[in-house]
Amino acid sequence: MTPEPRGQDRSMGELLSEVTSDIQTLFRQEIELAKAEIRQEATKAGKAGGMYGGAGFAGYMVALFASLAAVFGLANVMDAAWAALIVTALWAGIGAVLFVMGRSRMREVSPKPEQTVETLKEDARWARHPTK
């Protein structure tokens, strides 16, 4: 049994092969990290989209229930037109709150995979100065 060559005893081909293999492994790991980050951000975007959907549904409810509530509920107390306007303003407020909540969640979504970018920068620094 001959021992494996170490340090300076290894050929240039073996060293290049090892470096190439390490770089391939590193890039595969970076791609997996980017995929995981993108999945996370897509989940956040989906939740924010649900808030937008809720705001849209509230808008639909404005059109449907505002007229019914105004005619049947408040027509005895005041003029039907003013009653309809009050109920419409209430639903518009609910829709605005849902919209603002959805918008704030959407602003938290980052399409750029931050961890991947940072580790690629570290890899580039290491490649320039491997002894530091």
Side-chain angles (χ1 to χ4, degrees):
M1 284 200 248
T2 60
E4 237 182 79
R6 294 243 192 253
Q8 294 176 343
D9 295 340
R10 296 168 69 181
S11 72
M12 183 64 85
E14 290 173 332
L15 292 174
L16 284 175
S17 173
E18 185 177 326
V19 168
T20 302
S21 174
D22 289 346
I23 289 173
Q24 288 174 344
T25 301
L26 178 65
F27 279 117
R28 279 191 215 107
Q29 290 171 344
E30 294 296 337
I31 288 170
E32 288 303 315
L33 177 61
K35 286 179 184 178
E37 283 187 89
I38 289 170
R39 276 192 294 271
Q40 266 183 335
E41 294 304 314
T43 300
K44 285 184 190 177
K47 289 178 182 178
M51 291 290 182
Y52 281 133
F57 180 72
Y60 171 75
M61 298 305 285
V62 167
L64 180 64
F65 287 112
S67 60
L68 291 175
V71 172
F72 295 118
L74 299 174
N76 295 329
V77 178
M78 63 180 73
D79 186 44
W82 286 108
L85 186 60
I86 290 170
V87 174
T88 300
L90 176 67
W91 277 105
I94 291 169
V97 167
L98 287 172
F99 175 79
V100 169
M101 289 173 58
R103 183 178 61 183
S104 70
R105 288 223 179 149
M106 188 58 86
R107 287 182 176 166
E108 294 174 4
V109 175
S110 173
K112 184 170 75 169
E114 299 290 339
Q115 285 181 309
T116 302
V117 170
E118 187 58 37
T119 56
L120 284 173
K121 286 178 184 178
E122 289 174 12
D123 295 344
R125 283 193 294 267
W126 178 85
R128 280 188 230 114
H129 308 287
T131 58
K132 288 187 179 181

